[in-house]
Amino acid sequence: MEDERVVASSAGNRLLSSTPHAATPTNNGNMNLPPPPGHPLATYVVQVPKDQIYRVPPPENDDIVKRHREAAKAKGKKSKGNFSTFLLWFVVVLLLIGVIIGGTLTAIYFMYTPIAPKFSVTKLNVKQQKQGSAPTYHVTLKAKNLNEKMGIQYKSDEDGANLIFWTKNLGYGNFPGLKQEVGDSSNINIKIHGLKGKTVPPNVQKSISDKKTKRQISLKLKIESPLVFNVWILKLWKKDLDVKCEFRVSTMAQGTKILSQKCKTAMS
């Protein structure tokens, strides 16, 4: 049989040849294989385009991928650890700030806890135009600020003062406004107006009218006033003042003397 050969082009044609020889390489590097037994000698050369050749990556590439994955996992764990640490420190700082603020407020509370002022009755003067008319009672109080770090501002209160004999109201008066610095003592003059159209209690009238015999009288004075405790320009506390003074005078005529007294002060 004559030799037959088909030379394939670089585009991928097949090369056919008939030869009795063993496999020989061709000029373009392909190998001519001998035909199987019982068949005419022929060689088939198949060229596959380069972009259709599939390769298995070498083992070292797998190691590189593993290293990258482990590095990514380690980085993720490190990021989570950093966030947990940051969160822990943030909570600790907040707790420290809370403790500092709480301690400061507690110290301020104990250092600047308001103390009620101390009152005492120092003078009483009664004026009456004619017997049976409504008298005017002039009461003088002494108020002392017992606070060592805070001043006191007394707010004026209309009808904040009330003078009582036994269970009878003798009249009402305005409590004047006043400012006191730390440790100050001040005199407060209160003008009590007798109740018009009301009969003056007989014992009170006798004590006012009797010029010769001094008749002792026991009286009660009630005072209500808003208070403001301040440090410089800072107003720290607002309280309602409630004062009750029980006192006994030698007479309600001229030359009145305070024989005894007891004043109680409360704040709310």
Side-chain angles (χ1 to χ4, degrees), residues 147-185:
N147 295 274
E148 298 180 355
K149 297 182 181 295
M150 291 186 293
I152 301 178
Q153 182 177 357
Y154 301 80
K155 300 290 186 178
S156 61
D157 189 5
E158 186 176 356
D159 294 338
N162 181 21
L163 188 63
I164 302 170
F165 168 71
W166 197 241
T167 58
K168 303 278 187 182
N169 287 330
L170 298 180
Y172 294 91
N174 298 336
F175 185 82
L178 175 69
K179 288 184 179 181
Q180 285 185 323
E181 298 299 330
V182 176
D184 280 357
S185 295

Side-chain angles (χ1 to χ4, degrees), residues 152-225:
I152 301 178
Q153 182 177 357
Y154 301 80
K155 300 290 186 178
S156 61
D157 189 5
E158 186 176 356
D159 294 338
N162 181 21
L163 188 63
I164 302 170
F165 168 71
W166 197 241
T167 58
K168 303 278 187 182
N169 287 330
L170 298 180
Y172 294 91
N174 298 336
F175 185 82
L178 175 69
K179 288 184 179 181
Q180 285 185 323
E181 298 299 330
V182 176
D184 280 357
S185 295
S186 306
N187 291 324
I188 302 175
N189 297 315
I190 302 175
K191 188 177 182 180
I192 306 289
H193 299 279
L195 301 176
K196 294 181 179 181
K198 297 289 184 179
T199 303
V200 179
N203 289 347
V204 174
Q205 186 61 60
K206 288 180 181 180
S207 182
I208 295 173
S209 303
D210 196 342
K211 307 294 183 182
K212 297 180 180 180
T213 304
K214 292 185 177 181
R215 299 177 181 271
Q216 296 182 3
I217 294 292
S218 295
L219 301 171
K220 294 179 183 179
L221 179 66
K222 292 184 178 181
I223 298 173
E224 294 179 354
S225 173

